[in-house]
């Protein structure tokens, strides 16, 4: 099969369903802070900014795409050819910047690292698949029901020979929605800052010689010592782990897996002089003690960091 | 750290929060500690800080640490000048290379997780154009962190800024720079809070532009979507100039048609380029350095192989042209690939579906770096070139890719860009804070009248756009009608035009044709772009619209400068002037928004040109 034939078979119509939202009044920046009102009802997902009215709706887009396209490619196609108002974060387009975390078919991921071929489904996850004997339609005839078996939206299967399928997108859980797929990640960065995420070495003076003619030197660190924390240092603060952590999403107080990875990164860095203090600082009911070892964080980390295991080992270290 | 509201005045504003911007912030703050009144600094970025394009840098940062083999900063100096095809201002290159080791070590002290040798020292690897003993054997000079040096440096700099409590306003877009009426000093900036859509004038005595490059001029690029020449356009629109803007580096190994970077480190670890015949063709073009020749040499070689019919088709794309060559990593130990090139491996597997351990990878030159930019002194001060003199704009600085110190000349060496951003960024910040005392004594403009006028104009323009938003219902599905109708499709069209021009080859008629299309069709369309949504809250299209206008303005400067330089040198190649002309063009081009050209002689200090 020659390249172009293979490539043609890879192209088709893709339907993307997006959970959209737009504020109907101006955002007051002061309201973007997470509320610490102890009497406030804990919402399952603190999805929308309090007292801001939002227009919420679901919008379907149909585009021509290829199986090898990323979802970012698809959304940019929508922006360019159909709807420039569709709003979502993006920057590098190849998984390094961490800006485009969203929920894809119910699970978190990065738009630019998620390919059509790995995510397109035969129906929307939010629509029950019509199996024989499950849901009985009260409006459609038996014939109509069997015809629309795989495509509950009623699209004619014959016409859709080149249908790549359906993908549903929603904003990341656990953060207030600002517009469409853009969420306010401020809380995550605030929490990361609380663990003092910067190297504090007590050897700098020795490495910077008093005599200016001598060369400044680096800390020595062996490859084995580097391995202890290198994985944690690869964190791109994308928020995917927080979006999928049921504790983070439900509880305002938990500082979250991203901040804990940030803490681990320095606790295990042989150059840092404050391992013990750092561990003590996160060893409370808002830190590692809140973790229930659900391990969803590890499952979806785009950088392959075993976040859940990192937190578990911190708990063990704190206990020893 | 990310303030809800910004103040009406700061002592200094840094635009951009990548390696240059954050280094400038640290240079500013660390050198302000001795001053009586603590100066107020604001870093402002249109992105969240950690999303800056610095994070995508992969290969390494160059310095003569001598950790692997004996090295000398003078050899690095020579390599930089030679690699830049002798268009390098040698005073800038000398400063950079003399201070490279200290810069890299300071980054290590800031927390960068460099890859290490068994003895604990920072590892270094081979990189294109880096040699020992003034053009001798290749030398291991690039310090690296797996293949994620950019991410490590960006993260560590950001962490240090947290430590110093530096304020970073995120997702604020700087739409205008205000200089006083005589262009002698800075009044401030106009900034738009993209979260709310509000427009604010911010006064400052000092502004440091660290806005990065302009890869988005081209359809196929390694650059993030946000690299839209914003800072360069701010300078042009304020009556200033761009230097050497025609020199654009195409990185030899972008993955197929995606343009995504496959680091030079892949060749540093043993990767080899092959043509359709399976031949390792770089042996012919550069017997001494082969695949690790400077990037412009490798890119030219690839283009030549393709033009002579030895290119290959990209098996992962529907594109039928044989416009790629192979990158062969199969000879590298798979363990080495996963340890030293994890990002490259992941990119290949995800975006092409190929296995680098057993299959060859299609690669194609991709727009990567702007050697030129806003002209600056070695202290980072922006100047206006007039009548053979540099007239410094008091308080205005630029650093990183958006600036042009003359350091990279006609072609940048790998590993020198991160070094440039960190070293000259810090230096600009330091100079800015130490200079503040003299600026505050100015008698001019606490009235900031230019700033007020520009702010009003911008505010009115945005209001008019929002009021006249056309809505999305009116979109037809006919792509042709839409092509100049929104900012995104316009940038797409511009990118195709620029890329086609470069691919066909630069010559008088191609360049003129492109300039005509740009001036008569694309620029007018950019000026009358509508918005489709009238809500001011997080209106991405509004930002995209202004970015599109910035790109078209700088594209015009690129094409005009390209027409004016009647020679080939480094990354700039013309088929109608294929030779390097040191008699006439050993000079930097200087251009303003009206197309007025000037020429500035290259600073030759230690090395006479040998081409």
């Amino acid at each position: 099969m020659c390249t172009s034939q293979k490539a043609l078979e890879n192209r088709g119509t893709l339907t993307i369903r997006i959970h959209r939202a737009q504020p109907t009044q101006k955002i007051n920046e002061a309201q973007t802070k997470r509320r610490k009102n102890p009497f406030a009802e804990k919402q399952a997902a603190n999805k929308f900014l309090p007292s801001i009215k939002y227009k919420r709706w679901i919008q379907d887009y149909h585009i021509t795409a290829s199986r090898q396209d990323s979802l970012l490619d698809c959304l940019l196609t929508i922006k360019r050819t159909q709807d420039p108002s569709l709003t979502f974060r993006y920057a590098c387009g190849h998984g390094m910047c961490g800006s485009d975390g969203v929920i894809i078919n119910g699970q978190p991921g990065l738009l630019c690292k998620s390919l059509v071929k790995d995510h397109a489904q035969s129906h929307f996850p939010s629509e029950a698949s019509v199996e024989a004997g499950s849901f009985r339609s009260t409006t459609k005839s038996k014939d109509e029901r069997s015809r629309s078996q795989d495509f509950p939206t009623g699209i004619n299967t014959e016409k859709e020979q080149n249908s790549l399928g359906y993908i549903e997108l929603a904003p990341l859980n656990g953060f207030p929605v600002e517009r469409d797929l853009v969420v306010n990640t401020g809380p995550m960065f605030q929490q990361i800052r609380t663990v003092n995420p910067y190297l504090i070495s007590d050897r700098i003076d020795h490495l910077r010689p008093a005599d200016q003619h001598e060369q400044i030197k680096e800390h020595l660190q062996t490859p084995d010592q580097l391995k202890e924390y290198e994985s944690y240092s690869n964190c791109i603060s994308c928020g995917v782990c927080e979006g999928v952590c049921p504790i983070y999403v439900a509880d305002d107080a938990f500082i979250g897996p991203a901040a804990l990875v940030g803490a681990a990164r320095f606790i295990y860095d042989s150059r840092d002089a404050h391992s013990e203090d750092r561990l003590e600082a996160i060893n409370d009911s808002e830190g590692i003690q809140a973790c229930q070892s659900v391990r969803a964080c590890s499952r979806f980390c785009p950088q392959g960091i075993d976040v859940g295991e990192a937190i578990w080992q911190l708990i063990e270290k704190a206990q020893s | 750290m990310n303030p809800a509201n910004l103040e009406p005045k700061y002592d200094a504003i840094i635009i951009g929060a990548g390696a240059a911007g954050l280094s400038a912030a640290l240079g500013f703050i660390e050198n302000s500690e001795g001053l009586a009144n603590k100066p107020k600094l604001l870093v402002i970025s249109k992105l969240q800080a950690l999303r800056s394009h610095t994070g995508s840098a992969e290969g390494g940062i160059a310095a003569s640490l001598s950790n692997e083999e004996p090295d000398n900063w003078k050899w690095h100096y020579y390599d930089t000048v030679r690699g830049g095809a002798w268009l390098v201002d040698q005073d800038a290159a000398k400063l950079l290379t003399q201070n490279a080791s200290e810069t890299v070590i300071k980054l290590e002290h800031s927390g960068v997780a460099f890859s290490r040798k068994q003895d604990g020292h920072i590892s270094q690897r081979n990189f294109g154009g880096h040699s020992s003993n003034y053009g001798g054997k290749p030398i291991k000079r690039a310090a690296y962190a797996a293949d994620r040096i950019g991410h490590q440096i960006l993260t560590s700099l950001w962490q240090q800024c947290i430590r110093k409590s530096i304020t970073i306003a995120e997702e604020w877009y700087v739409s205008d720079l205000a200089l006083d009426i005589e262009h002698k000093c800075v009044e401030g900036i106009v900034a738009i809070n993209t979260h709310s859509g509000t427009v604010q004038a911010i006064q400052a005595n000092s502004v440091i532009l660290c806005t990065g490059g302009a890869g988005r001029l081209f359809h196929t690029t390694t650059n993030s979507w946000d690299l839209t020449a914003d800072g360069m356009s701010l300078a042009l629109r304020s009556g200033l100039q761009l230097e050497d803007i025609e020199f654009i580096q195409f990185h030899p190994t972008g993955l197929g048609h995606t343009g995504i970077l496959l680091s030079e480190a892949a060749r540093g670890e043993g990767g080899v380029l092959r043509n359709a015949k399976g031949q390792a063709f770089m042996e012919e073009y550069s017997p001494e350095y082969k695949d690790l020749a400077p990037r412009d040499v490798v890119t030219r070689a690839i283009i030549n192989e393709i033009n002579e019919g030895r290119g290959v088709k990209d098996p992962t794309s529907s594109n039928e042209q044989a416009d790629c060559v192979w990158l062969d990593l199969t000879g590298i130990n798979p363990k080495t690939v996963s340890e030293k090139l994890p990002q490259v491996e992941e990119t290949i597997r995800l975006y092409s579906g190929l296995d680098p351990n057993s299959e060859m990878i299609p690669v194609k030159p991709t727009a990567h770096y702007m050697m030129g930019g806003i002209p600056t002194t070695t202290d980072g001060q922006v100047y206006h070139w007039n009548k053979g003199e540099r007239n410094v704009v008091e308080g205005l600085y630029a650093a990183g890719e958006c600036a042009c110190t003359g350091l990279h000349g006609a072609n940048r060496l790998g590993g020198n860009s991160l070094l440039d951003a960190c070293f000259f960024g810090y230096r600009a910040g330091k100079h800015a804070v130490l200079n503040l005392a003299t600026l505050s004594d100015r008698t001019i403009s606490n009235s900031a009248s230019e700033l007020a006028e520009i702010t009003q104009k911008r505010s009115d323009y945005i209001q008019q756009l929002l009021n006249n938003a056309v809505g999305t219902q009116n979109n037809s599905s006919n792509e042709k009608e839409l092509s100049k109708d929104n900012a995104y499709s316009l940038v797409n069209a511009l990118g195709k035009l620029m890329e086609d021009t470069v691919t066909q080859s630069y010559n008088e008629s191609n360049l003129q044709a492109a300039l005509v299309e740009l001036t008569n069709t694309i620029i007018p369309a950019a000026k009358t772009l509508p918005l489709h949504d009238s809500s001011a809250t997080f209106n991405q299209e509004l930002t995209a619209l202004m970015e599109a206008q910035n790109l078209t303005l700088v594209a015009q400067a690129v094409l005009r400068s390209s027409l004016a330089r009647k020679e080939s040198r480094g990354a700039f190649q013309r088929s109608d002037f294929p030779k390097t002309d040191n008699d006439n063009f050993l000079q930097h081009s200087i251009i303003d928004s009206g197309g007025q050209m000037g020429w500035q002689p290259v600073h030759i200090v230690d090395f006479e040109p040998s081409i």
Side-chain angles (χ1 to χ4, degrees):
Chain A
M1 193 186 296
C2 83
T3 312
S4 58
Q5 221 178 322
K6 196 165 157 198
L8 273 172
E9 291 197 4
N10 275 329
R11 286 184 78 73
T13 323
L14 179 69
T15 302
I16 303 184
R17 169 165 294 174
I18 305 187
H19 292 248
R20 300 192 65 185
Q22 189 176 314
T24 53
Q25 62 191 73
K26 273 202 165 165
I27 285 184
N28 178 350
E29 284 86 346
Q31 289 172 296
T32 62
K33 294 199 181 99
R34 283 170 74 103
R35 291 195 309 170
K36 288 276 184 189
N37 182 349
F39 301 112
E41 258 188 43
K42 300 226 183 275
Q43 297 165 14
N46 186 7
K47 281 192 94 65
F48 294 101
L49 300 172
S51 82
I52 300 280
K53 290 211 172 78
Y54 271 80
K55 184 172 78 167
R56 298 157 61 177
W57 74 104
I58 291 174
Q59 190 159 352
D60 286 358
Y61 296 94
H62 309 284
I63 57 163
T64 307
S66 130
R67 286 185 209 283
Q68 189 62 28
D69 285 342
S70 72
L71 298 191
L72 177 62
D73 292 333
C74 297
L75 293 191
L76 289 172
T77 299
I78 293 172
K79 255 206 204 280
R80 208 170 47 243
T81 62
Q82 293 182 28
D83 186 354
S85 77
L86 181 61
T87 307
F88 49 95
R89 283 204 180 98
Y90 59 103
C92 77
H94 56 264
M96 274 316 297
C97 72
S99 57
D100 58 357
V102 295
I103 302 286
I104 304 164
N105 295 337
Q107 296 181 338
L110 301 184
L111 286 170
C112 64
K113 286 184 83 167
S114 304
L115 305 186
V116 169
K117 68 177 162 71
D118 297 323
H119 292 272
Q121 302 187 345
S122 58
H123 58 267
F124 283 117
S126 55
E127 285 170 8
S129 61
V130 180
E131 288 166 57
S134 55
F135 292 103
R136 193 187 297 247
S137 168
T138 55
T139 50
K140 292 183 185 157
S141 73
K142 202 171 178 187
D143 284 337
E144 281 177 313
R145 262 182 281 137
S146 62
R147 249 205 319 275
S148 65
Q149 187 108 7
D150 290 318
F151 300 97
T153 54
I155 295 178
N156 188 331
T157 42
E158 281 153 18
K159 195 168 86 180
E160 289 311 308
Q161 242 167 20
N162 250 356
S163 168
L164 298 180
Y166 300 76
I167 295 180
E168 190 164 351
L169 298 176
L172 211 52
N173 291 322
F175 300 100
V177 174
E178 288 205 37
R179 184 166 174 174
D180 290 343
L181 298 173
V182 174
V183 297
N184 180 359
T185 51
M188 172 175 68
F189 287 108
Q190 258 165 265
Q191 289 159 329
I192 289 173
R193 284 198 288 278
T194 63
V195 305
N196 296 329
Y198 41 82
L199 189 67
I200 308 173
S201 160
D202 58 2
R203 275 173 281 158
I204 293 284
D205 292 333
H206 300 293
L207 301 170
R208 249 187 234 133
D211 181 350
Q212 61 176 3
H213 295 296
E214 272 183 52
Q215 249 218 324
I216 185 178
K217 297 190 191 66
E218 71 260 50
H219 295 88
L220 293 182
Q221 183 170 73
T222 64
D224 283 340
Q225 286 174 320
L226 173 64
K227 269 206 181 80
E228 293 289 306
Y229 73 95
E230 189 180 17
S231 164
Y232 308 139
S233 76
N234 291 335
C235 173
I236 53 177
S237 308
C238 65
V240 158
C241 58
E242 319 232 296
V244 78
C245 171
I247 312 298
Y248 186 80
V249 163
D251 176 4
D252 270 10
F254 178 39
I255 62 170
L260 293 177
V261 165
R265 179 252 176 275
F266 288 102
I267 289 170
Y268 295 111
D269 188 337
S270 59
R271 302 171 292 177
D272 190 82
H274 291 268
S275 262
E276 281 175 26
D277 299 332
R278 291 181 185 277
L279 187 57
E280 205 182 299
I282 55 171
N283 187 18
D284 61 18
S285 58
E286 293 184 0
I288 52 180
Q289 289 174 20
C291 174
Q292 299 299 309
S293 219
V294 171
R295 303 291 179 121
C297 48
S298 303
R299 196 167 151 218
F300 294 103
C301 174
Q303 293 290 75
I305 302 169
D306 196 342
V307 182
E309 183 61 22
I311 300 175
W312 182 253
Q313 291 196 7
L314 287 173
I315 293 170
E316 291 202 317
K317 195 172 159 78
Q319 284 170 357
S320 63
Chain B
M1 191 193 212
N2 192 0
N5 293 299
L6 297 186
E7 305 193 27
K9 184 167 181 176
Y10 291 84
D11 291 296
I13 298 176
I14 297 174
I15 308 176
L22 297 181
S23 295
L26 291 169
F28 188 96
I29 290 295
E30 285 175 13
N31 290 285
S32 72
E33 274 149 19
L35 298 178
N37 300 318
K38 198 135 196 288
K40 257 188 349 194
L41 172 69
L42 175 71
V43 177
I44 189 166
S45 172
K46 66 177 179 178
L47 304 173
Q48 298 173 305
L50 286 174
R51 318 304 183 202
S52 302
H53 188 55
T54 299
S56 290
E58 296 185 350
I61 180 170
S64 54
L65 297 171
S66 300
N67 283 351
E68 304 274 350
E69 47 188 316
D71 198 355
N72 187 313
W73 70 265
K74 293 179 187 173
W75 302 347
H76 186 185
Y77 173 24
Y78 172 79
D79 288 339
T80 300
V81 176
R82 180 184 64 157
W86 308 97
L87 201 74
V88 171
D89 280 344
Q90 294 179 18
D91 48 347
K94 193 169 188 172
L95 259 176
L96 181 88
T97 52
Q98 265 178 326
N99 291 285
S101 292
E102 182 173 344
T103 303
V104 169
I105 301 293
K106 274 175 74 177
L107 286 170
E108 194 275 334
H109 289 183
S110 302
V112 170
F114 284 104
S115 293
R116 302 282 178 157
K117 300 170 61 194
Q118 281 304 326
D119 68 4
H121 282 107
I122 295 171
S123 288
Q124 294 176 280
R125 63 176 153 215
N126 285 317
F127 233 59
H130 288 277
S131 72
S132 59
N133 205 17
Y134 306 103
K137 308 185 292 95
I139 196 172
K140 292 192 160 109
R141 187 176 288 144
Y144 61 97
D147 56 357
R148 300 190 180 105
I149 186 67
H151 165 73
Q152 287 292 340
I153 288 178
L154 180 64
T155 310
S156 297
L157 289 173
W158 180 74
Q159 289 165 348
Q160 291 302 314
C161 287
I162 290 177
R163 187 178 193 172
K164 308 272 180 180
S165 303
I166 291 172
T167 306
I168 304 180
E170 299 183 323
E171 297 182 317
W172 281 73
Y173 185 77
V174 177
S175 59
D176 301 275
L177 173 67
L179 307 180
D180 74 308
I181 198 122
E182 287 166 8
H183 299 167
K184 290 225 175 79
C185 64
V186 172
E187 285 190 4
I189 61 167
V190 181
I192 301 162
N193 181 348
T194 64
H195 296 267
S196 62
T198 47
V199 179
Q200 185 178 338
I202 310 181
Q203 268 187 277
N205 288 322
S206 200
V207 169
I208 310 180
L209 294 158
C210 300
T211 52
R216 286 289 149 186
L217 282 169
F218 299 90
H219 189 249
T220 308
T221 174
T222 59
N223 283 198
S224 300
W225 289 92
D226 42 273
L227 286 165
T228 52
D230 290 349
M232 296 169 185
S233 170
L234 286 175
L236 283 179
R237 285 185 280 122
S238 318
L240 300 172
Q241 300 152 327
L242 295 179
E243 179 177 19
D244 287 346
I245 201 67
E246 67 272 28
F247 290 99
I248 299 167
Q249 183 174 83
F250 282 74
H251 194 287
T253 54
L255 174 61
H257 291 86
T258 67
I260 299 175
L261 176 69
L262 293 180
S263 174
E264 189 161 273
R267 285 169 282 137
E269 296 294 340
V272 172
L273 292 166
R274 296 188 189 282
N275 59 22
K277 294 184 177 167
Q279 207 192 348
F281 57 85
M282 282 312 299
E283 287 172 9
E284 306 269 320
Y285 294 90
S286 177
E288 172 116 50
Y289 300 104
K290 306 196 187 76
D291 299 88
L292 286 175
R295 287 174 187 175
D296 59 324
V297 173
V298 182
T299 293
R300 270 204 298 287
I302 292 174
I303 291 173
N304 197 52
E305 289 295 301
I306 292 165
N307 287 342
E308 292 189 354
R310 292 185 292 276
V312 303
K313 284 190 213 172
D314 178 354
T316 66
S317 138
S318 57
N319 190 307
E320 282 295 297
Q321 294 173 285
D323 59 357
C324 300
V325 294
W326 295 122
L327 176 64
D328 184 359
L329 304 180
T330 63
I332 309 177
N333 185 333
K335 195 158 167 285
T336 304
V337 173
S338 67
E339 275 177 14
K340 294 196 175 173
L341 304 168
Q343 202 57 44
V344 167
E345 179 174 18
E346 186 176 5
T347 297
I348 291 171
R349 289 190 190 281
L350 180 63
Y351 293 111
S352 74
L354 298 171
D355 171 18
N357 295 326
S358 62
E359 298 173 277
M360 296 201 288
I361 314 301
V363 293
K364 184 174 176 292
T366 169
H368 186 57
Y369 186 84
M370 309 291 289
M371 271 68 76
I374 303 166
T376 69
T377 66
T378 51
D379 287 324
Q381 294 178 290
V382 176
Y383 61 84
H384 186 266
W385 177 254
N386 190 25
K387 301 195 176 91
E389 271 185 12
R390 292 181 170 188
N391 300 297
V392 161
V393 180
E394 287 297 335
L396 187 62
Y397 297 80
E401 192 173 342
C402 75
C404 183
T405 54
L407 162 68
H408 304 300
N411 171 64
R412 175 178 72 72
L413 287 188
N416 271 0
S417 170
L418 287 168
L419 191 56
D420 174 11
C422 293
F423 174 69
F424 282 113
Y426 189 92
R427 199 174 159 87
K430 178 177 177 180
H431 196 275
V433 74
L434 297 177
N435 221 30
L436 269 181
T438 62
L439 293 176
S440 308
D441 293 339
R442 282 202 315 261
T443 48
I444 313 163
S445 80
N446 276 316
S447 70
S449 53
E450 286 299 298
L451 177 60
E453 199 183 308
I454 295 173
T455 306
Q456 191 58 53
K457 261 173 108 170
R458 179 60 66 186
S459 190
D460 290 343
Y461 175 58
I462 290 175
Q463 200 50 57
Q464 172 229 316
L465 283 173
L466 291 169
N467 292 343
N468 296 331
V470 302
T472 51
Q473 269 68 35
N474 296 337
N475 281 357
S476 70
S477 54
N478 182 347
E479 240 189 86
K480 262 197 145 67
E481 274 186 47
L482 272 179
S483 74
K484 310 278 164 39
D485 181 53
N486 71 68
Y488 303 103
S489 54
L490 186 128
V491 170
N492 198 39
L494 173 69
K496 289 206 168 101
L497 173 69
M498 296 296 284
E499 182 144 319
D500 288 345
T501 309
V502 140
T503 310
Q504 288 161 22
S505 102
Y506 276 174
N507 57 51
E508 184 77 21
S509 72
N510 282 348
L511 286 168
Q512 286 289 6
L515 189 57
V516 163
E517 165 92 11
L518 179 66
T519 311
N520 294 353
T521 308
I522 296 185
I523 288 182
K527 290 203 170 106
T528 55
L529 282 172
L531 285 181
H532 290 75
D533 176 67
S534 58
S535 161
T537 315
F538 226 103
N539 192 325
Q540 279 185 322
E541 194 189 7
L542 174 61
T543 305
L545 193 153
M546 292 186 284
E547 288 172 341
Q549 293 170 342
N550 289 341
L551 277 172
T552 58
L553 189 64
V554 174
Q556 199 174 43
V558 169
L559 293 175
R560 284 171 171 164
S561 293
S562 300
L563 279 162
R565 181 172 291 274
K566 296 190 193 313
E567 66 153 2
S568 289
R569 184 187 296 266
F572 182 76
Q573 297 292 310
R574 283 183 66 154
S575 54
D576 52 353
F577 292 99
K579 292 211 169 69
T580 302
D581 179 2
N582 281 336
D583 295 329
N584 293 306
F585 289 106
L586 195 59
Q587 311 200 72
H588 302 289
S589 68
I590 300 275
I591 191 167
D592 68 12
S593 63
Q596 185 95 309
M597 294 255 13
W599 295 93
Q600 184 177 182
V602 170
H603 294 182
I604 310 236
V605 179
D606 292 292
F607 304 108
E608 285 299 318
S610 76
I611 44 163

